[in-house]
Amino acid sequence: DIQMTQSPSSLSASVGDRVTITCRANQSITIYLNWYQQKPGKAPKLLIYAASSLQSGVPSRFSGGGSGTDFTLTINSLQAEDFATYCCQQSYSTPPTFGGGTKVEIK
Amino acid sequence: EVQLVQSGAEVKKPGESLKISCKGSGYSFPNYWIGWVRQMPGKGLEWMGIIYPGDSDTRYSPSFQGQVTISADKSISTAYLQWSSLKASDTAIYYCTRQTRPRWDAMDVWGQGTTVTVSS
């Protein structure tokens, strides 16, 4: 199975900040990397697919980048509703695997 | 609106059987793959397996092969996840997800989750 590693595991930020989360795969997954947001007690929600494509309805302050083994999720101008856990997932090979998550908390 | 609606929370004893469901609406259910994802308490997401309701083609993660059974009834737009003998370690939230293809594609729609608690 492909192993996905996220960093940091948590971070504190303020409304208006720019936040970047990193996800690394232990082998190349080309662009098959997806990002999800999960709020407490809720199901994950797809934000970014294929490394950099914004899912319909997701605010443009979210962006993704990278290819191969290293990827980033950036949130520009963090909003109150963005405090949540973010998780990456590779869809390059079966089984799909997830990163451990990054919890974005209010500073 | 495209949605997946899952059955309600379950409390079971070790050794009991269980079948939970996931009903799709707002799209052509037979033509999209339905996957299942486990989230144990305070932990990350784990992919269990996936089924294509159109022809019941089913694939399992090696970690879950033989531990659960995934099925679907396209006539009622419903997919299922079942256990024949639950263990305490099956306590988790289980999500169903939708994908266009079993590989390459993201999980674009998620059910609300079904909490399964197994305790004596």
Side-chain angles (χ1 to χ4, degrees):
Chain A
D1 298 3
I2 295 177
Q3 185 175 352
M4 307 301 295
T5 303
Q6 280 182 243
S7 61
S9 56
S10 65
L11 64 90
S12 295
S14 301
V15 171
D17 284 353
R18 183 184 189 195
V19 168
T20 298
I21 298 167
T22 298
C23 180
R24 175 168 287 173
N26 67 349
Q27 67 181 75
S28 177
I29 57 171
T30 66
I31 62 163
Y32 293 103
L33 190 284
N34 312 302
W35 289 98
Y36 301 88
Q37 176 194 65
Q38 187 174 26
K39 296 182 178 179
K42 299 294 186 182
K45 171 189 171 184
L46 177 64
L47 298 176
I48 301 284
Y49 63 95
S52 61
S53 295
L54 194 67
Q55 176 69 353
S56 176
V58 174
S60 59
R61 63 181 178 273
F62 291 92
S63 62
S67 65
T69 61
D70 295 312
F71 301 86
T72 56
L73 173 70
T74 299
I75 311 172
N76 283 302
S77 189
L78 196 68
Q79 300 299 299
E81 60 266 30
D82 300 335
F83 292 95
T85 297
Y86 295 85
C87 183
C88 62
Q89 175 242 330
Q90 66 82 15
S91 52
Y92 178 78
S93 72
T94 301
T97 47
F98 296 85
T102 296
K103 187 173 184 179
V104 176
E105 299 175 298
I106 301 172
K107 183 182 285 185
Chain B
E1 179 192 6
V2 174
Q3 58 179 349
L4 297 173
V5 178
Q6 298 184 231
S7 50
E10 302 274 2
V11 179
K12 293 288 191 179
K13 294 185 182 334
E16 291 185 331
S17 63
L18 176 64
K19 191 173 189 178
I20 62 175
S21 67
C22 169
K23 183 174 177 62
S25 62
Y27 72 99
S28 179
F29 185 80
N31 296 332
Y32 287 80
W33 293 77
I34 295 290
W36 290 93
V37 173
R38 182 176 79 174
Q39 188 167 39
M40 298 178 76
K43 301 297 184 181
L45 302 166
E46 301 171 274
W47 184 82
M48 302 175 72
I50 198 166
I51 188 166
Y52 188 72
D55 62 6
S56 293
D57 182 4
T58 308
R59 305 170 192 190
Y60 293 93
S61 165
S63 299
F64 291 93
Q65 178 86 47
Q67 308 305 307
V68 296
T69 301
I70 293 171
S71 60
D73 184 343
K74 63 183 178 182
S75 69
I76 55 171
S77 301
T78 301
Y80 302 96
L81 178 66
Q82 69 180 86
W83 295 259
S84 59
S85 181
L86 287 160
K87 302 184 278 287
S89 58
D90 293 317
T91 295
I93 301 173
Y94 294 88
Y95 295 101
C96 60
T97 68
R98 189 186 81 158
Q99 285 177 239
T100 303
R101 298 175 294 180
R103 191 178 172 187
W104 315 123
D105 289 340
M107 301 166 198
D108 68 344
V109 181
W110 292 64
Q112 83 276 21
T114 296
T115 300
V116 174
T117 303
V118 184
S119 173
S120 54

